[in-house]
Amino acid sequence: MDLHILDHRLKVTSICKDGLMNFTHPLIKLIFLRNRTRCKFFSLTETPENYTVVLDEEGFKDLPVSEHLQVEGATWLPLNVVSNGHTSSSSQAVGVTKIAKSVIAPLAEQHVSVFMLSTYQTDFILVREKDLPVVIHTLEEEFSIYREEGGEPIPVHGKDVQNGFHKNGKEAIKLTVHPVLSPQNQFCVMSLDPDTLPAIATTLIDVLFYSGSSKDGAHPTQALDCIKFFSFSLIDGYISLVMDTETQRRFPSNLLFTSSSGELWRMVRIGGQPLGFDECGIVAQISQPLADADISAYYISTFSFDHALVPEDDISSVIDMLQQQR
């Protein structure tokens, strides 16, 4: 298999709910006006706490400086696994669990924090730019590694890593086992032809910017609560959406498409308190047991919490499995 370091330098940001009105114009530009921006990597996810926006440096320039905007200080690089010449498509197979053992677990063992973004088309593993030498050193035995430059894949080989790093040379990290919550919403993972984006513009703007309520801002405390969760990604011309079935009914059914199985998904939300960005192994703790049980999953990290989507039929066994880790 090949591992591609994509030609994007990303910022991970958070917009607080009360401050969204300060960002509606740049966000509409980034979502709908592709000819007005040089941004090639954009993802917006609404959770009960905030809006997580992941975007490249060109897109980041469009966001105004504001007290309502938090920016994680590092620059992140997206990695993508390519098998037999094709990206690992989570809409066809098992999503993040396909790369749990080969990428996520080895990086956790080397104290590399990852930020996951599964989409309809593929899975992106985001790593801090400063961690790239360790990433290459750790994964080069398993993968042929390429760095995309100007659309062309350039082979990358491990070099001597500075600062005294040696593979497996650190003590094993002591993992915090975080609580998990399973809201009752049913979710869909869908895609859209970018050329038909104008046809859903009014509905999408309404969902993103005008559907909030005091209830949406409340932190879910019970396993049966529904939560507000909506994710939109426009990455290299491909659109991916995650929404619950109630929201899906607001969109024209003939424009949004999903995998042939039309499977519904349930969410496992990880973390009782905001997780932060420095802790390693959170994704591995979730994805590894799912991979061992051959259960497919999408995984979306946000500024405060992580979220795994698993097939509805598997939700009970997944919750039991994860709670046994505590």
Side-chain angles (χ1 to χ4, degrees):
M1 291 191 294
D2 298 340
L3 182 74
H4 285 216
I5 305 164
L6 302 184
D7 192 13
H8 302 292
R9 301 179 76 243
L10 307 178
K11 289 293 185 180
V12 178
T13 73
S14 170
I15 300 172
C16 70
K17 291 288 183 86
D18 293 340
L20 181 63
M21 66 182 67
N22 299 286
F23 296 89
T24 50
H25 179 266
L27 290 177
I28 286 173
K29 175 183 176 182
L30 289 164
I31 294 170
F32 297 106
L33 304 178
R34 286 180 290 162
N35 294 331
R36 300 285 185 91
T37 176
R38 296 173 62 185
C39 181
K40 303 300 181 185
F41 194 112
F42 174 83
S43 175
L44 184 153
T45 302
E46 180 183 2
T47 62
E49 298 77 25
N50 48 39
Y51 294 85
T52 297
V53 182
V54 182
L55 71 179
D56 60 27
E57 291 177 317
E58 289 296 329
F60 183 68
K61 294 176 183 177
D62 288 326
L63 299 183
V65 177
S66 169
E67 62 181 347
H68 302 291
L69 178 71
Q70 287 183 272
V71 183
E72 202 285 322
T75 296
W76 297 75
L77 303 177
L79 313 179
N80 191 222
V81 174
V82 178
S83 178
N84 298 322
H86 301 283
T87 56
S88 58
S89 174
S90 51
S91 62
Q92 298 174 357
V94 294
V96 72
T97 51
K98 186 174 184 179
I99 54 177
K101 296 179 181 179
S102 58
V103 179
I104 297 170
L107 293 182
E109 291 174 0
Q110 300 304 324
H111 300 222
V112 174
S113 179
V114 303
F115 188 97
M116 282 299 310
L117 179 61
S118 293
T119 69
Y120 182 88
Q121 292 82 16
T122 190
D123 299 287
F124 298 99
I125 311 109
L126 276 59
V127 299
R128 287 184 172 104
E129 188 173 44
K130 68 180 180 64
D131 289 331
L132 187 59
V134 181
V135 171
I136 295 172
H137 192 119
T138 302
L139 300 180
E140 63 181 344
E141 293 182 6
E142 179 77 19
F143 295 93
S144 298
I145 302 177
Y146 298 87
R147 183 156 195 165
E148 295 187 0
E149 298 181 8
E152 295 294 326
I154 308 299
V156 175
H157 304 287
K159 300 179 181 179
D160 292 334
V161 181
Q162 303 299 318
N163 301 322
F165 172 82
H166 298 282
K167 192 172 182 181
N168 296 325
K170 293 185 178 181
E171 294 181 2
I173 56 176
K174 185 177 182 180
L175 300 177
T176 300
V177 180
H178 294 279
V180 296
L181 169 75
S182 179
Q184 67 179 7
N185 315 50
Q186 297 173 309
F187 289 90
C188 309
V189 181
M190 313 190 79
S191 189
L192 173 76
D193 184 339
D195 291 336
T196 64
L197 186 57
I200 67 164
T202 301
T203 303
L204 186 56
I205 289 172
D206 189 46
V207 168
L208 286 174
F209 303 123
Y210 298 101
S211 62
S213 68
S214 58
K215 180 180 178 182
D216 290 335
H219 181 77
T221 57
Q222 299 180 7
L224 296 181
D225 283 345
C226 288
I227 69 167
K228 179 69 176 180
F229 188 93
F230 185 92
S231 185
F232 173 92
S233 298
L234 176 54
I235 301 173
D236 290 330
Y238 293 97
I239 293 176
S240 178
L241 302 106
V242 178
M243 66 187 81
D244 64 19
T245 51
E246 182 178 349
T247 303
Q248 180 199 13
R249 287 192 285 270
R250 300 175 61 177
F251 289 89
S253 59
N254 62 319
L255 294 182
L256 299 180
F257 52 89
T258 185
S259 59
S260 57
S261 63
E263 194 164 28
L264 293 177
W265 303 79
R266 290 282 302 277
M267 177 183 290
V268 177
R269 180 175 155 101
I270 301 99
Q273 299 294 328
L275 299 174
F277 290 87
D278 293 325
E279 184 178 344
C280 305
I282 299 173
V283 181
Q285 287 183 70
I286 303 300
S287 61
Q288 190 69 54
L290 295 180
D292 292 341
D294 198 26
I295 295 175
S296 58
Y298 293 86
Y299 200 104
I300 298 178
S301 301
T302 64
F303 208 86
S304 300
F305 297 96
D306 281 10
H307 309 79
L309 296 175
V310 301
E312 185 174 34
D313 292 344
D314 294 322
I315 187 63
S316 296
S317 58
V318 168
I319 292 297
D320 290 343
M321 183 190 313
L322 297 178
Q323 287 180 340
Q324 288 174 7
Q325 294 182 331
R326 293 184 61 78

